[in-house]
Amino acid sequence: AFPVLKGPSLIGVVVAQVSNQGLSEFNKDYAGLGETGETLIATKNVDEVVFITPTRFDPLAALKKGILRNGSKEASIFQKALQGEKGADTYVDYRGKKVFAVWRYLPTFRVGMVVKMDAAEVFSPANRLRNTLLGMSALILLVVIFSAIGIARSISNPIKNLTSTSKTISEGNLSARVHIDTRDEIGELAQSFNYMTDRLVEAKSIVEKKKSEVEEQKRLLEAANKELDSFVYTASHDLRAPLRGIDGLANILVQDYADTLDTQGKDYLCKIRDAAVRMKALIDDLLTLSRISRIKNPYEDVDIRALIASVVVRLEFDIKKLGVELIIAEDFPMVRCDRIKMEEVFLNLVSNAIKFSSKNKDSKPHVEIGYHRKDASHEFHVKDNGIGIDKKHHQAIFEIFRRLHNESEYEGTGAGLSIVKKVIDDHQGQLWVESEIGKGAAFYFTIPEKIQEKKKIGQILVEEGVVSEEEVKRALKKQGLDVGPDL
């Protein structure tokens, strides 16, 4: 409708009417809009937005069904379209359905157009795709799981077979073999295992053969050692009788025939007696070494301070006679050892220290006995301020009957340090000396805190049930050997 004016006066109105048939035909084309899609065309009418064409689900909506301008989100979307905006969004339409819509302004007709479709229909392809993918994923997962189980069994079964066979072999049945026919890594491992077992059987045969040879050699060696010990013991005892006779006859000659002998004869007799005494000392030391080799005293927890005190009592006469300054440390440990042999160690070392320090003319004899812990061992030392020992003799002094001085200078047979070394070796310890000429000597030895005590053959036989303890004792006595409390 348009007004017709003449000057300021209204002289008429021109009214034109246009049918909505064309827009309605366009509006009814639902191609590509599925089951719920539709095109809505609306215009402004005072305070309302009014459909100017029928809707898909309400054929009578044209020019009758309005949407309040400031009401629902649907009205807001149409307002945006009529204002020339473009966009897309979801909202609840006039049917109460959630829809997905796009909109724009049609300037030729000065209307807003909204194309919408139910959200359920819009997203149904995506949902179907999602469900399809989930189903395929579940199917693939099941295939993977069953494949993994099958592969795991194909691997684990041969490994279980291999483990079972190895356990059988470890129990002593070396005839067992692994039977795996696969040609993969497991099959190669099985072949290597069988090859290793074959080599083990061969090695066992060789070891058993060598073991029998070693046992035979051990038996011969034990027999030789027994014969040697018996010889030393018997010879030492048999030698004492003629020595006593020589010493006794020489003493009779000195006492009864001294007037008939000249000075040279008397000197010869004294040398005979000294030689007999020295020979007796050598035999005694030889017997001591023999006892150390033959007799195995039981190990016990020994208070070393009390042991040293008993040694000092035995040497008290020499200490007072020679005016020896004896320094003994305060702290000494309890040590698991052979008490009798350990007392011999301290006796020999302290008596040597007293003997050599007493020859020092420049100072008072001084002997020190001390201790400190070294790693997992007990370390003891006996120091003196005697004449000292040349470094080139530090190893030789531990050899049996090895002397660095003649008899006129220092008494003794030279077996003391050999006895000490033998005892320390039996205790799995170390023995050494630190000394220089004219600067005294310091003898050190160690005893492990935890000594691996060796079982005697008798103990092993009794524990294995081969013989009884009484049978072992009778056999030892029959051989003339001492029987210790622990066989």
Side-chain angles (χ1 to χ4, degrees), residues 338-370:
D338 183 331
R339 182 183 60 79
I340 296 174
K341 293 181 181 178
M342 195 55 59
E343 186 170 344
E344 287 294 320
V345 168
F346 279 100
L347 180 65
N348 278 284
L349 291 179
V350 175
S351 63
N352 276 355
I354 292 173
K355 177 170 62 177
F356 288 104
S357 63
S358 65
K359 300 296 182 179
N360 191 339
K361 304 299 182 182
D362 298 328
S363 61
K364 182 179 180 180
H366 177 89
V367 176
E368 176 187 329
I369 307 174

Side-chain angles (χ1 to χ4, degrees), residues 384-399:
D384 63 64
N385 63 340
I387 60 176
I389 303 170
D390 195 328
K391 288 185 178 180
K392 66 182 181 181
H393 298 307
H394 282 188
Q395 295 299 323
I397 58 175
F398 298 111
E399 297 175 4

Side-chain angles (χ1 to χ4, degrees), residues 18-87:
V18 180
S19 171
N20 66 354
Q21 184 176 357
L23 289 175
S24 295
E25 294 297 329
F26 167 78
N27 198 46
K28 292 178 181 179
D29 184 1
Y30 303 123
L33 295 180
E35 300 294 329
T36 61
E38 61 179 325
T39 301
L40 302 177
I41 298 175
T43 187
K44 294 180 181 178
N45 182 22
V46 188
D47 60 348
E48 287 186 330
V49 176
V50 180
F51 296 134
I52 62 173
T53 58
T55 66
R56 185 171 187 175
F57 301 102
D58 188 357
L60 303 177
L63 303 177
K64 295 181 180 180
K65 192 172 184 66
I67 304 172
L68 293 176
R69 186 172 297 174
N70 297 318
S72 63
K73 187 176 181 180
E74 185 177 21
S76 174
I77 286 174
F78 275 100
Q79 288 178 11
K80 291 178 181 180
L82 291 170
Q83 291 172 2
E85 297 181 15
K86 295 180 180 180

Side-chain angles (χ1 to χ4, degrees), residues 10-156:
L10 175 65
I11 61 173
V13 176
V14 177
V15 178
Q17 180 176 344
V18 180
S19 171
N20 66 354
Q21 184 176 357
L23 289 175
S24 295
E25 294 297 329
F26 167 78
N27 198 46
K28 292 178 181 179
D29 184 1
Y30 303 123
L33 295 180
E35 300 294 329
T36 61
E38 61 179 325
T39 301
L40 302 177
I41 298 175
T43 187
K44 294 180 181 178
N45 182 22
V46 188
D47 60 348
E48 287 186 330
V49 176
V50 180
F51 296 134
I52 62 173
T53 58
T55 66
R56 185 171 187 175
F57 301 102
D58 188 357
L60 303 177
L63 303 177
K64 295 181 180 180
K65 192 172 184 66
I67 304 172
L68 293 176
R69 186 172 297 174
N70 297 318
S72 63
K73 187 176 181 180
E74 185 177 21
S76 174
I77 286 174
F78 275 100
Q79 288 178 11
K80 291 178 181 180
L82 291 170
Q83 291 172 2
E85 297 181 15
K86 295 180 180 180
D89 201 353
T90 58
Y91 68 92
V92 178
D93 70 354
Y94 62 91
R95 298 173 299 135
K97 300 288 186 179
K98 185 177 181 179
V99 298
F100 182 79
V102 295
W103 64 84
R104 64 168 297 171
Y105 179 61
L106 301 178
T108 301
F109 301 99
R110 291 185 292 178
V111 295
M113 181 177 69
V114 175
V115 181
K116 67 180 183 66
M117 184 183 292
D118 286 3
E121 186 176 2
V122 171
F123 296 110
S124 62
N127 291 333
R128 286 196 299 272
L129 178 61
R130 181 192 62 188
N131 294 335
T132 301
L133 291 175
L134 288 175
M136 292 178 63
S137 300
L139 180 61
I140 292 172
L141 181 61
L142 289 174
V143 171
V144 170
I145 291 174
F146 284 110
S147 299
I149 292 174
I151 295 172
R153 286 181 177 177
S154 67
I155 295 175
S156 62

Side-chain angles (χ1 to χ4, degrees), residues 205-260:
S205 176
I206 294 173
V207 168
E208 289 178 348
K209 181 178 179 181
K210 294 293 184 182
K211 181 181 177 182
S212 62
E213 294 176 358
V214 169
E215 288 179 348
E216 178 63 19
Q217 292 176 356
K218 179 182 176 182
R219 187 187 64 79
L220 294 174
L221 182 60
E222 289 175 348
N225 285 335
K226 189 180 296 184
E227 291 177 1
L228 180 60
D229 286 342
S230 178
F231 169 78
V232 171
Y233 188 77
T234 303
S236 300
H237 278 280
D238 291 346
L239 287 174
R240 286 189 176 196
L243 279 177
R244 283 194 296 269
I246 293 171
D247 184 49
L249 291 173
N251 187 35
I252 291 172
L253 289 174
V254 170
Q255 293 179 358
D256 298 342
Y257 299 95
D259 296 338
T260 61

Side-chain angles (χ1 to χ4, degrees), residues 8 74 158 293 329 332 437 450:
E74 185 177 21
S293 300
F332 283 95
I437 294 292
K450 296 182 179 180

Side-chain angles (χ1 to χ4, degrees), residues 164-361:
S164 175
T165 304
S166 64
K167 183 178 180 182
T168 302
I169 292 174
S170 67
E171 292 173 351
N173 183 9
L174 298 182
S175 62
R177 294 294 183 274
V178 182
H179 300 289
I180 297 176
D181 298 329
T182 60
R183 296 186 178 182
D184 55 7
E185 290 81 358
I186 300 297
E188 293 178 1
L189 179 61
Q191 291 179 0
S192 299
F193 186 85
N194 289 336
Y195 177 79
M196 179 191 67
T197 305
D198 292 338
R199 300 288 78 77
L200 183 61
V201 171
E202 294 178 4
K204 182 173 182 266
S205 176
I206 294 173
V207 168
E208 289 178 348
K209 181 178 179 181
K210 294 293 184 182
K211 181 181 177 182
S212 62
E213 294 176 358
V214 169
E215 288 179 348
E216 178 63 19
Q217 292 176 356
K218 179 182 176 182
R219 187 187 64 79
L220 294 174
L221 182 60
E222 289 175 348
N225 285 335
K226 189 180 296 184
E227 291 177 1
L228 180 60
D229 286 342
S230 178
F231 169 78
V232 171
Y233 188 77
T234 303
S236 300
H237 278 280
D238 291 346
L239 287 174
R240 286 189 176 196
L243 279 177
R244 283 194 296 269
I246 293 171
D247 184 49
L249 291 173
N251 187 35
I252 291 172
L253 289 174
V254 170
Q255 293 179 358
D256 298 342
Y257 299 95
D259 296 338
T260 61
L261 297 174
D262 56 12
T263 302
Q264 187 176 15
K266 293 177 182 179
D267 182 58
Y268 287 160
L269 285 176
C270 289
K271 288 182 178 180
I272 290 173
R273 293 198 65 193
D274 291 342
V277 172
R278 174 170 169 73
M279 189 63 184
K280 181 178 179 298
L282 286 171
I283 292 172
D284 289 340
D285 287 342
L286 187 62
L287 284 173
T288 300
L289 281 172
S290 177
R291 282 198 304 272
I292 290 174
S293 300
R294 291 184 297 105
I295 300 175
K296 305 296 181 183
N297 300 311
Y299 280 24
E300 56 185 295
D301 292 329
V302 178
D303 184 347
I304 298 298
R305 183 167 185 80
L307 185 145
I308 292 174
S310 67
V311 170
V312 171
V313 170
R314 294 172 64 178
L315 297 173
E316 186 175 6
F317 177 80
D318 290 337
I319 294 172
K320 290 182 179 180
K321 177 183 176 181
L322 299 173
V324 177
E325 180 185 11
L326 181 61
I327 306 298
I328 303 175
E330 291 293 330
D331 297 327
F332 283 95
M334 295 288 291
V335 177
R336 187 160 186 80
C337 62
D338 183 331
R339 182 183 60 79
I340 296 174
K341 293 181 181 178
M342 195 55 59
E343 186 170 344
E344 287 294 320
V345 168
F346 279 100
L347 180 65
N348 278 284
L349 291 179
V350 175
S351 63
N352 276 355
I354 292 173
K355 177 170 62 177
F356 288 104
S357 63
S358 65
K359 300 296 182 179
N360 191 339
K361 304 299 182 182

